[in-house]
């Protein structure tokens, strides 16, 4: 599906327009800086997510602007917005609406496999992109996408799910943020011990983000105790009756480093 979307975006006139719009976009907000909390607490990346292939419908009628404001009021450090339409029900319009409603930096959560998508993200106002190591077997392409993001002023959250993925992530020149997903990308099984085990290998200079299967403050504390500076939480927040309170409770967790 992404390859088809990329082919559309790479049509010469469309690509040129995206590159032009990316160059004219307002400066990106500091995503990496937002994850370095000075109060000793874990940073919460609060996600706007309508559905997922593994869990089905989560919040189909979600209002991205209202949700973003609720997250910000609860103390979120940053936002993550799903922009994939076929499988997650998201869009770049969701990203634009969420970013316009808050002062928080926003991660475009999607399957980035081609440089044109990075221009598209910057043109839409994203402050960071996701690079999934398992989806990018070409090490040269992975490094090039990371370098282009940095060149355009975007942060890059490099996601891994095992030790070999971490080795590849840490081999990227200038890598600043590494996320470890607790979801097996092949079976969708979830296990917090995955991140706990890998965390010890992430250098202190790299911002470590725990992703997936984090639903409660106790889960977030477990990730913080393992050495993660930030947690990315989606399902639990979009399903919460009071998302502001849910974010507040997560953001009160003390970080270990």
């Amino acid at each position: 599906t992404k390859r088809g979307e990329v082919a559309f975006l790479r049509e010469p006139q469309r690509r040129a327009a995206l590159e032009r719009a990316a160059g004219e976009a307002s400066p990106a907000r500091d995503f990496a800086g937002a994850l370095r909390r000075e109060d000793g607490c874990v940073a919460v990346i609060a996600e706007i997510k309508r559905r997922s292939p593994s869990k089905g419908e989560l919040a189909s009628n979600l209002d991205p602007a209202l949700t973003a404001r609720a997250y910000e009021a609860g103390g979120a450090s940053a936002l993550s917005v799903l922009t994939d339409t076929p499988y997650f029900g998201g869009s770049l319009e969701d990203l634009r609406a969420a970013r316009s409603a808050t002062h928080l930096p926003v991660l475009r959560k999607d399957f980035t496999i081609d440089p044109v998508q990075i221009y598209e993200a910057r043109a839409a106002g994203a402050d960071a992109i996701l690079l999934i190591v398992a989806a990018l077997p070409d090490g040269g392409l992975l490094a090039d996408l990371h370098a282009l993001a940095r060149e355009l002023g975007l942060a890059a959250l490099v996601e891994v799910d095992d030790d070999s993925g971490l080795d590849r992530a840490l081999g990227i020149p200038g890598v600043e943020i590494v996320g470890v997903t607790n979801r097996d990308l092949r079976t969708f099984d979830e296990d917090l011990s995955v991140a706990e085990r890998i965390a010890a290998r992430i250098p202190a200079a790299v911002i470590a983000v725990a992703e997936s299967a984090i639903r409660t403050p106790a889960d977030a504390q477990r990730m913080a105790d393992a050495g993660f500076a930030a947690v990315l939480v989606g399902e639990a927040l979009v399903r919460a009756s009071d998302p502001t309170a849910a974010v507040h409770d997560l953001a009160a967790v003390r970080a270990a480093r």
Side-chain angles (χ1 to χ4, degrees):
T1 300
K2 287 299 148 183
R3 292 189 189 102
E5 292 178 9
V6 163
F8 175 77
L9 295 175
R10 290 179 68 178
E11 293 176 3
Q13 287 186 322
R14 190 165 287 107
R15 181 186 178 110
L18 288 172
E19 291 184 9
R20 192 163 51 249
E24 296 170 353
S26 58
R29 297 169 184 169
D30 186 1
F31 184 83
L35 302 186
R36 295 188 177 98
R37 288 186 58 171
E38 297 181 356
D39 61 0
C41 292
V42 71
V44 177
I45 306 171
E47 190 159 87
I48 291 173
K49 181 178 185 177
R50 298 176 185 276
R51 66 172 183 261
S52 77
S54 60
K55 298 296 176 66
E57 294 292 337
L58 299 173
S60 57
N61 295 320
L62 175 151
D63 182 315
L66 290 177
T67 303
R69 282 195 285 268
Y71 290 166
E72 185 175 40
S77 295
L79 301 176
S80 169
V81 180
L82 265 298
T83 61
D84 173 81
T85 300
Y87 303 100
F88 290 87
S91 68
L92 287 170
E93 286 305 317
D94 284 351
L95 186 149
R96 293 186 186 97
R99 191 177 189 274
S100 295
T102 74
H103 295 94
L104 300 177
V106 181
L107 169 75
R108 181 191 185 182
K109 189 92 173 286
D110 211 313
F111 302 95
T112 302
I113 59 172
D114 189 274
V116 73
Q117 294 169 286
I118 301 179
Y119 288 107
E120 181 186 42
R122 184 78 277 269
D127 305 294
I129 60 160
L130 176 71
L131 295 176
I132 303 173
V133 169
L136 295 163
D138 182 334
L141 176 60
L142 175 61
D144 288 347
L145 293 174
H146 188 275
L148 177 60
R150 298 292 296 272
E151 180 184 327
L152 296 180
L154 295 166
L157 171 58
V158 183
E159 179 182 291
V160 308
D161 67 333
D162 58 21
D163 286 290
S164 63
L166 179 61
D167 290 338
R168 292 183 61 210
L170 295 180
I172 299 171
V175 69
E176 186 176 19
I177 311 170
V178 169
V180 182
T181 179
N182 291 296
R183 177 174 292 114
D184 187 305
L185 300 179
R186 287 154 286 279
T187 66
F188 293 147
D189 291 342
E190 297 175 342
D191 183 358
L192 290 177
S193 69
V194 172
E196 285 178 316
R197 179 177 57 78
I198 294 175
R201 297 190 54 226
I202 301 176
V206 174
I207 300 170
V209 180
E211 306 174 48
S212 300
I214 301 161
R215 297 184 176 83
T216 67
D219 293 336
Q221 188 66 65
R222 186 172 165 184
M223 295 295 92
D225 291 343
F228 288 94
V231 293
L232 191 155
V233 184
E235 178 187 340
L237 296 182
V238 296
R239 285 181 161 171
S241 57
D242 186 342
T244 296
V247 171
H248 179 271
D249 291 344
L250 292 167
V253 168
R254 303 295 295 181
R257 71 177 186 183

